[in-house]
Amino acid sequence: MSTVVINGTQWGDEGKGKIVDYLAAQADTVVRFQGGSNAGHTVCLDGEEYKLRLMPSGILCKDTTCVIANGVVFDPQVFLEEIDALKNRGVDVSNIKISNRAHVVMPWHKIFDELNENLRGDKKIGTTKRGIGPCYIDKADRIGIRICDLIDREEFAAKCREVLDQKNFILQKAYNHEPLNYDEILAEYEGYAERIAPYVCDTISFLNDEIDAGKKILFEGAQATMLDIDYGTYPYVTASHPISGGVAVGAGVAPKKIDKIIGVVKAYCTRVGEGPFPTEQLNEIGDKLRTAGHEFGTVTGRPRRTGWLDACVVKYAGQISGVDYMAVTRLDILDGFDEIKMCVAYEVDGKIINEIPASLKILAKVKPVYETFDGWKVNISNVRKYEDLPVNARKYLERMAAVTKIDVGIISVGPNRDQTIIVAKDIF
Ligand code: IMP
């Protein structure tokens, strides 16, 4: 058995796509288990850039099966757009499996996402407006429509009618919004159903059979720990569980069947949307990080908020997910800095605390305790061995491992597959 989970350890956009793509080359199957088209993975292959939202990053590896498991909220429109775009670029899309239990993102989910954000005014979450939260709300409210319903014509027509009546009532009475048209939605989604039906199966039995047969499975987390609905900076979080435990519920694979957990850590820190960010740099350092790292959202194009690495957050993610190795990404973005800072502890009201505060009021008060490192001031994008990294870069990584108590397993020094330093040889 060989199963590996990849989780983001910060606020997302750590460069998980690149790490997944690298490891996917050794995997038989790559699985998305939570989130939906709110994810934005950029993968570079042979100098070409691919931006993926719903599709597992393993799609660019030949002979790798890609699974969209039950914990994902599935937007058929986005899926089909991605399929068409990949096909046009010559990518083979025949090896995809979609869970019959995944919930379907419907037009009303996107509308409620937008309306709810508007209602929140300056307390808005800054969602991607892809309908993710409202789709998970309906799942918990037991009025969700699943893929098995979508591909059953009669079942879908009935469920769509029932749910739409309720949604139109709320839209009109509570939001003064025009009702949605049943016939149009039915026709649109019947078209989607026809095209996605060939990909649909019971992914739970598929994955467990694969594991029992000794196949290599990679579970690709979207978003990250600090956006987890339980462990993140609630309410400024997404609606799913982007942690290793999310694999058990989101893919139907038992925790004891997971071998290795990789936490992806960007060498500095970014966040999109609202919410606390203790190491944020609202100054020229932040601007320099944004420019050097091209830190603009893959899905929304929004400029990302930027700051120094917060090792407290990474340590927390390591505890929650049981991270075996860090995959440190974008280390090359720090090449041009004279000095680099890392937050190694939080101070609140003059006291060092050993936890991530649950209360946003307290989190807003924390003062990051920084350590300062000399920059290495050379281009490291061609380095392929750990010992060839400049000594100052190694010092930075070694301190990161000491504070987080997690070993460095992979280092990424550029967007391409080959710009990767493998330190841990036992990941798969
Ligand atoms: P939602 O997932 O669209 O509901 O958005 C909730 C929060 O998660 C917002 O702050 C988003 O910016 C953030 N978010 C969702 N997906 C991603 C991602 O892939 N990367 C970074 N932030 C994300």
Side-chain angles (χ1 to χ4, degrees):
M1 152 174 129
S2 197
T3 50
V4 175
V5 181
I6 307 240
N7 287 133
T9 60
Q10 296 153 310
W11 279 277
D13 309 312
E14 293 92 352
K16 294 180 291 293
K18 146 91 193 256
I19 303 298
V20 172
D21 174 67
Y22 184 85
L23 291 173
Q26 300 161 53
D28 297 296
T29 300
V30 179
V31 188
R32 283 270 321 256
F33 57 92
Q34 45 74 222
S37 65
N38 50 349
H41 305 295
T42 307
V43 184
C44 293
L45 181 61
D46 300 331
E48 282 204 53
E49 201 172 75
Y50 294 81
K51 289 188 188 297
L52 305 170
R53 291 194 268 152
L54 187 55
M55 198 66 74
S57 301
I59 194 72
L60 299 177
C61 293
K62 262 183 96 204
D63 304 326
T64 305
T65 303
C66 285
V67 172
I68 298 178
N70 50 283
V72 170
V73 285
F74 181 90
D75 186 330
Q77 184 189 357
V78 172
F79 174 79
L80 292 169
E81 276 168 19
E82 289 196 348
I83 287 267
D84 290 341
L86 287 164
K87 268 192 194 160
N88 284 341
R89 294 174 75 176
V91 177
D92 177 14
V93 292
S94 54
N95 278 339
I96 299 173
K97 294 185 187 298
I98 304 166
S99 168
N100 49 10
R101 286 181 167 81
H103 279 246
V104 181
V105 174
M106 298 297 296
W108 49 82
H109 294 136
K110 296 182 207 176
I111 291 171
F112 280 111
D113 206 350
E114 175 109 40
L115 291 171
N116 291 339
E117 279 286 87
N118 293 343
L119 265 187
R120 287 185 192 111
D122 59 6
K123 291 224 167 67
K124 72 177 193 297
I125 291 163
T127 75
T128 59
K129 300 195 178 154
R130 304 285 163 180
I132 307 300
C135 189
Y136 280 117
I137 290 173
D138 282 359
K139 178 177 179 174
D141 201 18
R142 279 122 325 154
I143 54 162
I145 295 178
R146 297 182 297 162
I147 296 283
C148 57
D149 306 320
L150 176 65
I151 59 171
D152 177 331
R153 225 183 154 90
E154 268 174 38
E155 192 69 16
F156 181 72
K159 285 220 152 109
C160 185
R161 174 87 270 169
E162 198 182 312
V163 181
L164 184 61
D165 283 348
Q166 190 197 100
K167 299 294 175 188
N168 272 341
F169 180 81
I170 299 168
L171 277 176
Q172 288 169 281
K173 304 275 180 207
Y175 293 86
N176 204 16
H177 189 283
E178 65 202 40
L180 302 180
N181 184 294
Y182 173 75
D183 293 324
E184 278 172 23
I185 294 176
L186 195 65
E188 182 186 340
Y189 275 68
E190 277 177 355
Y192 297 151
E194 207 169 294
R195 287 193 63 198
I196 68 156
Y199 300 106
V200 176
C201 71
D202 184 328
T203 55
I204 301 165
S205 54
F206 171 77
L207 287 173
N208 281 287
D209 287 350
E210 289 276 287
I211 292 170
D212 291 345
K215 296 282 178 63
K216 292 179 174 170
I217 319 280
L218 191 62
F219 293 95
E220 171 181 3
Q223 292 88 45
T225 311
M226 295 309 283
L227 292 172
D228 182 282
I229 191 154
D230 271 66
Y231 304 104
T233 46
Y234 190 89
Y236 299 100
V237 292
T238 192
S240 67
H241 288 297
I243 55 169
S244 65
V247 169
V249 273
V253 169
K256 67 181 178 185
K257 291 194 172 171
I258 292 168
D259 295 322
K260 289 263 160 32
I261 296 150
I262 310 295
V264 185
V265 183
K266 196 184 278 192
Y268 49 99
C269 207
T270 60
R271 169 163 208 171
V272 284
E274 310 303 315
F277 180 0
T279 62
E280 182 166 20
Q281 297 296 303
L282 292 164
N283 51 33
E284 66 282 3
I285 291 168
D287 294 341
K288 189 170 171 182
L289 284 169
R290 188 176 307 103
T291 310
H294 310 290
E295 293 292 356
F296 296 89
T298 313
V299 175
T300 58
R302 290 180 287 182
R304 294 181 184 139
R305 299 159 64 193
T306 46
W308 295 120
L309 177 72
D310 186 339
C312 304
V313 152
V314 178
K315 183 178 168 193
Y316 175 68
Q319 289 167 337
I320 292 165
S321 283
V323 174
D324 294 297
Y325 291 118
M326 287 189 282
V328 180
T329 59
R330 318 210 86 202
L331 191 62
D332 54 303
I333 301 302
L334 300 178
D335 284 355
F337 284 78
D338 294 325
E339 62 176 33
I340 297 159
K341 291 186 192 239
M342 182 192 299
C343 166
V344 297
Y346 286 168
E347 189 190 302
V348 181
D349 298 333
K351 284 199 203 103
I352 299 292
I353 55 164
N354 190 27
E355 63 201 32
I356 303 292
S359 152
L360 291 200
K361 240 162 99 182
I362 298 176
L363 194 53
K365 279 205 306 196
V366 302
K367 272 212 223 133
V369 177
Y370 286 112
E371 285 181 9
T372 304
F373 298 77
D374 288 333
W376 41 91
K377 304 287 294 192
V378 286
N379 178 347
I380 59 167
S381 61
N382 292 320
V383 176
R384 297 292 176 271
K385 284 195 205 132
Y386 185 79
E387 49 282 16
D388 293 341
L389 281 170
V391 66
N392 286 348
R394 278 184 277 143
K395 277 188 188 163
Y396 183 67
L397 293 169
E398 280 153 24
R399 186 65 185 136
M400 198 190 283
V403 177
T404 60
K405 299 191 170 72
I406 313 168
D407 291 338
V408 175
I410 301 176
I411 302 152
S412 170
V413 292
N416 287 311
R417 239 184 229 174
D418 67 318
Q419 293 176 299
T420 310
I421 300 170
I422 299 295
V423 184
K425 310 283 182 211
D426 62 341
I427 291 176
F428 255 129

